[in-house]
Amino acid sequence: MKKLLLINGPNLNLLGTREPATYGHETLADISALCGRAAEEFGLTVEFRQTNHEGELLDWIHTARGRCAGIVINPAAWTHTSVAIRDALVASELPVIEVHLSNVHRREAFRHHSYVSGIAVGVICGLGSNGYRLGLEHFAHLLGAHHG
Ligand code: CA2
């Protein structure tokens, strides 16, 4: 089984409780369940996590090296601020797919720049929770995992 680390940044624990016009009605638990089903379908295993603490996210990226085959990340607001997350992702030497629920390019100018996109295999944004599923599907292709 190919294992992926799927990590979510700050405030995403609030999903489904506020700002549904921007982020939809699904909770993070709903998205975790969706990713679990998609992983099974694509012959992958997924560790799905969320944190509001940047250092914790960095530690998870560091320990993914040698243990996981790739990283799917929604860095949330840290997308636009964190050189540290970019550096940790590079140091992991793992392929990275960046996911955003909303289309950041239709939103405020400060969301148009990402520190992660330049080192990612690809970026999916604006497709809601389906973006996570598509990210996992792409990893299944990249890693040659077998659909079940
Ligand atoms: O669209 C995305 O997935 C974002 O990564 C979400 C971040 C935002 O800062 C990025 O620009 C785009 C914000 C996540 C906060 O999530 C909330 C969910 C419900 C209520 C409040 C915040």
Side-chain angles (χ1 to χ4, degrees):
M1 277 287 197
K2 311 273 186 183
K3 185 186 280 194
L4 298 177
L5 180 63
L6 199 167
I7 40 182
N8 294 281
N11 298 314
L12 285 165
N13 56 307
L14 299 178
L15 277 180
T17 65
R18 283 167 238 177
E19 298 188 51
T22 307
Y23 298 117
H25 290 280
E26 283 170 293
T27 63
L28 198 65
D30 293 333
I31 296 177
S32 173
L34 174 158
C35 289
R37 290 192 298 273
E40 201 175 320
E41 182 186 337
F42 299 136
L44 301 164
T45 58
V46 170
E47 284 181 15
F48 189 98
R49 300 183 187 170
Q50 186 273 333
T51 182
N52 293 324
H53 305 277
E54 189 172 355
E56 187 170 35
L57 193 92
L58 294 171
D59 290 343
W60 291 344
I61 295 169
H62 295 166
T63 54
R65 191 164 185 267
R67 212 174 53 77
C68 295
I71 298 175
V72 177
I73 183 168
N74 182 347
W78 294 327
T79 307
H80 320 297
T81 63
S82 182
V83 176
I85 290 175
R86 177 195 173 104
D87 288 347
L89 290 168
V90 170
S92 78
E93 297 181 333
L94 292 171
V96 173
I97 295 180
E98 178 184 352
V99 173
H100 299 283
L101 293 158
S102 64
N103 180 351
V104 287
H105 301 290
R106 285 179 63 162
R107 302 183 63 194
E108 303 95 324
F110 67 83
R111 296 186 203 275
H112 299 178
H113 176 261
S114 164
Y115 281 102
V116 173
S117 300
I119 56 92
V121 172
V123 183
I124 302 166
C125 77
L127 304 183
S129 59
N130 196 39
Y132 288 80
R133 184 188 160 79
L134 293 168
L136 294 178
E137 182 173 13
H138 191 76
F139 261 123
H141 287 291
L142 269 185
L143 302 172
H146 298 291
H147 289 223

